[in-house]
Amino acid sequence: MQQAKHNKKVTGKILQVAVPAPLYTTFDYLSPETVRDKVPPPGSRVRVPFGRRTQIGIVLANADHSDVPGDKLKAVQATLDSEPVLPAALLKLLKWAANYYQHPLGEVIHSAMPALLRKGKAATIKGPTLWRVNTAINSTETPLKRAPRQQQLLNLLQQHEQGLTDEQLNQRLEHWRPTMKTMLAKGLVVKSVLPCITDPVQAEAGPKLNPQQQSIIDTIISQAAGYQAHLVHGITGSGKTEIYIALAQRAINANKQVLVLVPEISLTPQLTARFRTRLGVRTALLHSGLNDGERLCAWSSAAHNQAHLVIGTRSAVFTPMPQLGLIIIDEEHDGSYKQQDGFRYNARDLALVRAQQTDIPVVMGSATPSLETLHNAYSRRYQLHTLSQRAGSSQSPRIELLNLCRQKLQHGLSPKLLQALDKHLNHRGQVLLFLNRRGYSPLLMCHECGWTTSCQRCDAHMTYHKSQHLLRCHHCGTEAPVPAHCSDCGNTELISIGAGTERIEQYLQSLYPDTRIERIDRDTTRRKGSLDAKLEQARSGNARILVGTQMLAKGHDFPNVTLVGVIDTDQGLYSGDFRAAEHLAQLITQVAGRAGRAEKPGEVLIQTHHPDHPLLQTLLHQGYDGFAHAALAEREQAGFPPYRHLALLRCEALKVELALAFMESARDCLGDSDAVDLFGPLPAPMEKRAGRYRFQLILQSSQRQALHRLLRPWTLALTQLKTSNKVRWSIDVDPYDTY
Ligand code: ADP
Ligand code: ZN
Ligand code: ZN
């Protein structure tokens, strides 16, 4: 057909460009080589016309010809880099990820780049600029009466002794730059560049490794060079971090870079500090708390081999590291490695792919490895290393189930737990109470007719936040005033059903008015620095009682905790999600690991209405390993991962009919395969959320290849469906949960 139109195919100087758009194709552009004679290499950024706008795209390849007719081909407007910002190795990983997770490559690439690069800024290593008052000049001597803008800026800087960065100034004042320039020339202010990576320091010595640790390290380093996946399965406090540090040290001594992935940096400041002080090398931290300038700087330092150690959360798996020699994944089971919207990747899994592509070792560690990872270890795809004892002198805690049946509970706490709490406080112990529910109570109920505070926009109750005096839906964020009476019968007696962390804290404070209690959950740690302050109170032992959500279960070292109470396990025992049991077992094991870390022996009490539940019994008597074997057998029977692979099509719309219409046509355009089972469309477990109706289609197969063979054409077909732009839909490969 094209020939019939006499369109000549263009040859030479064609660039294939990925553009950040929800489209599963790349686009051809004419190279600007006629203007400058260098063709932009793959991995470099170009500015291109796209629709009615311009976009920043990444060159994927240089080609000799294009199938697009010559008169339709547009030219690149500008080349932004002479060197690739995305090295070939990283591009390869991103292409793999886009293909595997069925997400448009342009968007995948975009989400892997620091914001400033996406906006077209130069790829510099320079840290953010910091402006401060020049303290050498006494500003009262130089009145700025005639220069009100200068005076204003000066006042602002005087309020911030530490200085303000460009970004912080932008947030506070408009058009401050010309004024600042004048003041800089007058010497009223000083300008400096903040380093974004830490300087090398004298490395501190660590403890002498015990024989178990040493033998694991020896085994790992005795392997032939190249890809090898290791799992260090060791209880909390068994010295896994010391193993990471020793292996990282070795890689760094061989002039290699080391990437350490952690679930959440803000939750584990001690871990990062420990890596830095022990290794002493230039370190870049990549986490969500960075501003754009800091992020670009840290990213570029890694890309130019200036930072030898990179510690980061999920997206740090995409940091360019030319000399990468080792990847460490701490707490590999943690759910925060999975991105839950947009490009839904799992950073742990991508780190394994990256290690394979780079042909280097990867070391995962956890006290409670995920069932997928354990399965891979049991089937010898990963090497399993076990640390069975605590590293220091501490002993493992005693665990006991507390039967709640027919017990009179005080705000969710049983008499036995309260007695134990009293005993430990009297013996100068520290108590940690764990409850994965914030707020005062999960709902209010009318004592007359049973009416409850439900969210108008979700199939869920609104949580009562007593101290803030409001109701809040934890699913959509809707807030409402606390009702004075029942909206059905008008009765004014509304009672709190169930307990959240706030309620436990208040009750215990009334029992122990002189005891310091710290509540650690998302409500009490919103302000910057408040989490650190609370953790410090917890570590020092000043806070005698700690009440918290899963934020408390993650990796913290509280040496004085002697009693851990798990307030509610029944939620996890009877949830519909296939991972619920695994999560509960991990949680119990992790919080139990917080007890008795120093010389004081610990005690763990678990409240439940189902003390005979096989999961709890197995966990108690055979430990996490025993649980894992049983749970894996169950997964195999039920046809869940890791035995069968899952992909989920999710869809939500303001009207049920729209969502269902899309899901039905989606089902109809799925190809046929004997190896893939299809379930649905089914309503999501929470059918309505934030005013939208939600449905899902579940694909299940024991053969990954077969699943992906169907997914690829299906994704394209879905974008073509007429109903597709009336709904929000997404494909989730290896979903973390089915909600
Ligand atoms: P994990 O990472 O498994 O939780 P860590 O490496 O953090 O364990 O070790 C727990 C505690 O024991 C830390 O305070 C650490 O300094 C200490 N520790 C680790 N290995 C040893 C050792 N071989 N000798 C003495 N103390 C150790
Ligand atoms: Zn809601
Ligand atoms: Zn009522």
Side-chain angles (χ1 to χ4, degrees):
M1 262 205 0
Q2 291 198 344
Q3 262 149 18
K5 283 197 210 155
H6 303 287
N7 274 325
K8 270 190 222 139
K9 280 192 179 178
V10 177
T11 53
K13 55 186 181 180
I14 302 291
L15 299 181
Q16 288 168 359
V17 177
V19 174
L23 296 164
Y24 289 84
T25 46
T26 60
F27 297 88
D28 288 353
Y29 287 91
L30 280 169
S31 165
E33 71 179 300
T34 42
V35 190
R36 295 192 209 166
D37 52 11
K38 196 169 173 235
V39 181
S44 61
R45 294 170 301 161
V46 287
R47 195 185 299 279
V48 295
F50 191 77
R52 270 181 246 152
R53 303 190 301 149
T54 63
Q55 287 275 27
I56 291 178
I58 287 281
V59 177
L60 293 178
N62 303 337
D64 294 334
H65 70 88
S66 170
D67 292 337
V68 180
D71 52 353
K72 292 253 172 75
L73 265 184
K74 291 182 187 161
V76 163
Q77 283 179 354
T79 59
L80 302 182
D81 308 301
S82 50
E83 298 287 313
V85 287
L86 298 177
L90 189 56
L91 260 187
K92 186 174 168 192
L93 179 70
L94 294 170
K95 284 181 187 168
W96 189 96
N99 193 28
Y100 184 83
Y101 292 106
Q102 307 295 318
H103 202 76
L105 179 59
E107 289 190 347
V108 168
I109 289 176
H110 223 62
S111 64
M113 278 196 298
L116 290 180
L117 290 187
R118 299 202 292 261
K119 291 177 189 158
K121 292 279 176 7
T124 51
I125 302 192
K126 208 180 74 170
T129 308
L130 186 75
W131 301 92
R132 270 179 309 179
V133 174
N134 186 353
T135 43
I137 293 184
N138 186 343
S139 58
T140 50
E141 281 172 15
T142 45
L144 292 167
K145 282 202 193 93
R146 301 242 201 93
R149 283 197 57 86
Q150 291 186 34
Q151 187 62 56
Q152 187 188 10
L153 197 50
L154 198 65
N155 290 345
L156 186 62
L157 290 176
Q158 276 166 345
Q159 286 162 19
H160 298 87
E161 252 174 74
Q162 314 275 317
L164 291 168
T165 61
D166 285 1
E167 197 171 288
Q168 289 168 328
L169 281 162
N170 286 337
Q171 287 161 4
R172 289 170 173 81
L173 209 60
E174 282 182 350
H175 310 302
W176 55 271
R177 272 181 202 281
T179 319
M180 190 72 91
K181 219 173 141 189
T182 316
M183 292 169 72
L184 185 66
K186 286 190 190 169
L188 292 174
V189 295
V190 286
K191 175 183 175 180
S192 55
V193 175
L194 281 177
C196 67
I197 54 177
T198 61
D199 282 332
V201 292
Q202 180 66 45
E204 284 171 15
K208 187 174 159 15
L209 297 168
N210 65 36
Q212 255 191 341
Q213 287 169 317
Q214 192 60 55
S215 118
I216 292 176
I217 293 166
D218 291 344
T219 311
I220 293 177
I221 61 187
S222 69
Q223 314 275 311
Y227 170 76
Q228 177 70 56
H230 301 274
L231 170 64
V232 181
H233 180 187
I235 57 170
T236 318
S238 59
K240 296 182 292 297
T241 309
E242 289 301 324
I243 294 182
Y244 305 153
I245 290 173
L247 293 170
Q249 184 67 67
R250 213 183 120 88
I252 286 165
N253 289 348
N255 289 321
K256 295 290 183 189
Q257 288 175 294
V258 176
L259 172 63
V260 180
L261 293 179
V262 294
E264 260 173 280
I265 284 194
S266 63
L267 291 184
T268 50
Q270 315 104 295
L271 180 82
T272 33
R274 199 159 141 205
F275 264 99
R276 272 158 46 174
T277 52
R278 292 285 301 289
L279 293 171
V281 292
R282 282 205 191 90
T283 305
L285 293 185
L286 283 160
H287 56 90
S288 58
L290 301 182
N291 66 36
D292 290 351
E294 290 165 338
R295 175 173 297 274
L296 174 59
C297 181
W299 197 83
S300 307
S301 317
H304 291 92
N305 197 15
Q306 301 275 311
H308 298 127
L309 175 65
V310 174
I311 306 180
T313 46
R314 186 170 60 221
S315 66
V317 71
F318 300 120
T319 316
M321 297 174 71
Q323 295 300 323
L324 184 61
L326 172 67
I327 303 179
I328 291 163
I329 311 170
D330 191 27
E331 309 287 359
E332 69 76 35
H333 66 280
D334 197 287
S336 55
Y337 285 125
K338 169 81 178 178
Q339 168 96 20
Q340 296 279 29
D341 55 17
F343 167 34
R344 295 163 185 263
Y345 64 96
N346 184 316
R348 176 204 57 206
D349 296 345
L350 283 181
L352 280 147
V353 172
R354 185 168 183 178
Q356 221 161 8
Q357 291 181 344
T358 318
D359 202 22
I360 55 168
V362 52
V363 178
M364 291 166 273
S366 174
T368 54
S370 64
L371 293 183
E372 281 96 333
T373 297
L374 276 179
H375 176 64
N376 280 323
Y378 295 153
S379 58
R380 303 193 180 227
R381 243 183 297 182
Y382 304 162
Q383 276 190 38
L384 177 62
H385 311 272
T386 310
L387 280 171
S388 53
Q389 283 151 16
R390 292 201 172 188
S393 50
S394 63
Q395 309 153 13
S396 292
R398 194 176 66 82
I399 304 183
E400 189 186 332
L401 296 175
L402 296 184
N403 189 350
L404 291 185
C405 295
R406 290 184 301 278
Q407 295 288 314
K408 186 149 173 40
L409 302 185
Q410 298 290 336
H411 303 269
L413 304 173
S414 65
K416 277 201 171 157
L417 183 55
L418 286 168
Q419 277 161 21
L421 188 134
D422 202 61
K423 187 186 82 189
H424 280 261
L425 290 181
N426 283 333
H427 288 85
R428 305 221 40 80
Q430 192 184 26
V431 179
L432 190 163
L433 295 178
F434 176 83
L435 175 59
N436 217 358
R437 202 188 293 128
R438 55 202 172 87
Y440 188 81
S441 71
L443 63 144
L444 290 177
M445 186 186 275
C446 170
H447 206 33
E448 187 70 34
C449 75
W451 170 85
T452 56
T453 51
S454 51
C455 176
Q456 301 293 309
R457 307 176 68 219
C458 306
D459 292 332
H461 286 115
M462 291 188 92
T463 302
Y464 176 37
H465 289 259
K466 192 174 182 184
S467 57
Q468 293 170 289
H469 206 66
L470 52 79
L471 299 177
R472 185 184 293 129
C473 172
H474 288 182
H475 303 281
C476 71
T478 300
E479 292 182 355
V482 180
H485 50 76
C486 167
S487 67
D488 272 5
C489 75
N491 175 37
T492 52
E493 198 185 347
L494 300 178
I495 50 175
S496 300
I497 303 289
T501 45
E502 187 186 348
R503 186 171 187 173
I504 305 280
E505 179 200 17
Q506 282 195 11
Y507 174 58
L508 292 177
Q509 196 70 80
S510 74
L511 287 184
Y512 302 99
D514 301 327
T515 298
R516 181 161 187 146
I517 303 180
E518 288 288 353
R519 168 157 64 100
I520 301 187
D521 59 26
R522 270 201 284 146
D523 291 325
T524 62
T525 55
R526 256 178 247 283
R527 255 185 319 111
K528 205 173 174 170
S530 56
L531 176 63
D532 285 348
K534 282 174 176 291
L535 289 176
E536 192 40 49
Q537 290 299 323
R539 258 194 302 279
S540 68
N542 275 349
R544 306 285 307 287
I545 303 178
L546 313 170
V547 181
T549 56
Q550 61 182 0
M551 283 178 106
L552 264 185
K554 291 189 177 181
H556 307 295
D557 196 2
F558 302 134
N560 299 309
V561 168
T562 51
L563 171 67
V564 170
V566 182
I567 295 173
D568 183 6
T569 47
D570 297 342
Q571 262 180 324
L573 289 175
Y574 292 98
S575 156
D577 192 66
F578 75 96
R579 257 184 246 271
E582 176 183 354
H583 288 166
L584 180 61
Q586 286 167 342
L587 201 90
I588 290 177
T589 312
Q590 295 274 349
V591 288
R594 307 286 146 233
R597 294 202 83 182
E599 276 66 45
K600 305 181 184 175
E603 190 175 3
V604 179
L605 300 176
I606 299 173
Q607 296 198 141
T608 176
H609 283 95
H610 306 276
D612 297 328
H613 194 286
L615 157 62
L616 292 176
Q617 287 299 325
T618 316
L619 190 61
L620 237 66
H621 295 115
Q622 297 164 43
Y624 187 79
D625 267 329
F627 158 78
H629 276 107
L632 276 169
E634 243 174 61
R635 292 262 187 101
E636 185 165 22
Q637 275 227 309
F640 277 117
Y643 299 94
R644 306 197 79 202
H645 310 292
L646 293 186
L648 218 62
L649 174 65
R650 289 194 177 85
C651 155
E652 54 176 54
L654 291 167
K655 294 209 171 86
V656 175
E657 311 86 72
L658 288 177
L660 273 177
F662 171 77
M663 288 310 246
E664 271 153 24
S665 30
R667 186 188 54 202
D668 294 343
C669 70
L670 180 70
D672 249 347
S673 167
D674 291 342
V676 180
D677 293 325
L678 174 74
F679 302 95
L682 305 163
M686 185 184 292
E687 184 172 345
K688 187 176 161 202
R689 191 165 76 191
R692 290 170 182 275
Y693 294 88
R694 307 156 71 235
F695 290 86
Q696 45 190 235
L697 269 169
I698 302 172
L699 271 59
Q700 241 182 13
S701 177
S702 53
Q703 298 164 39
R704 206 175 266 299
Q705 299 261 329
L707 186 60
H708 270 85
R709 262 199 303 277
L710 278 196
L711 282 177
R712 241 156 262 147
W714 196 37
T715 310
L716 289 178
L718 291 177
T719 59
Q720 310 289 322
L721 286 180
K722 273 202 296 268
T723 45
S724 73
N725 48 19
K726 298 205 177 73
V727 300
R728 288 187 192 158
W729 63 273
S730 62
I731 287 187
D732 195 348
V733 177
D734 303 337
Y736 189 66
D737 54 40
T738 49
Y739 280 90

